Amino acid sequence: PVNESVKTSVANKIALHCVKDAVSYNIPNSSPVRLEVLDIRGKLVAVLDVGSRIAGNHTVSIPGSLSRGMYFIRLKAGLTNVSVKYIN
């Protein structure tokens, strides 16, 4: 897949970064997380990561089975949601 590098950060230092076939995220505190792939209509396509995670950096592979197109990667960490555009 061809993808532009996208990085999004919010005030509480949660960061979400997509490059090629992986998603990296950083959370400042241990918390429950859910990392999702949504299509352009907002329909859930895949769940990449779910569970309680310790503070720090985490990297998850994006499935190669995704059809070509535009998606949104959404990270829910605690009470915060962060989304970035992903082009496959």
Side-chain angles (χ1 to χ4, degrees):
V2 175
N3 190 34
E4 57 195 54
S5 174
V6 178
K7 186 171 184 177
T8 300
S9 298
V10 294
N12 61 2
K13 304 297 181 192
I14 292 176
L16 179 60
H17 184 79
C18 298
V19 174
K20 295 185 182 177
D21 58 354
V23 178
S24 296
Y25 64 92
N26 182 306
I27 53 175
N29 302 307
S30 297
S31 68
V33 301
R34 183 174 172 95
L35 187 63
E36 305 170 326
V37 179
L38 307 168
D39 67 15
I40 59 172
R41 293 182 200 104
K43 180 181 175 189
L44 181 65
V45 175
V47 176
L48 304 179
D49 196 15
V50 65
S52 186
R53 300 292 176 258
I54 62 171
N57 294 313
H58 304 271
T59 301
V60 179
S61 296
I62 295 174
S65 60
L66 283 180
S67 300
R68 294 182 60 113
M70 187 174 83
Y71 297 91
F72 294 96
I73 307 293
R74 178 170 61 193
L75 173 65
K76 297 178 180 180
L79 299 175
T80 304
N81 291 331
V82 180
S83 297
V84 294
K85 181 172 64 172
Y86 173 75
I87 300 172
N88 189 17

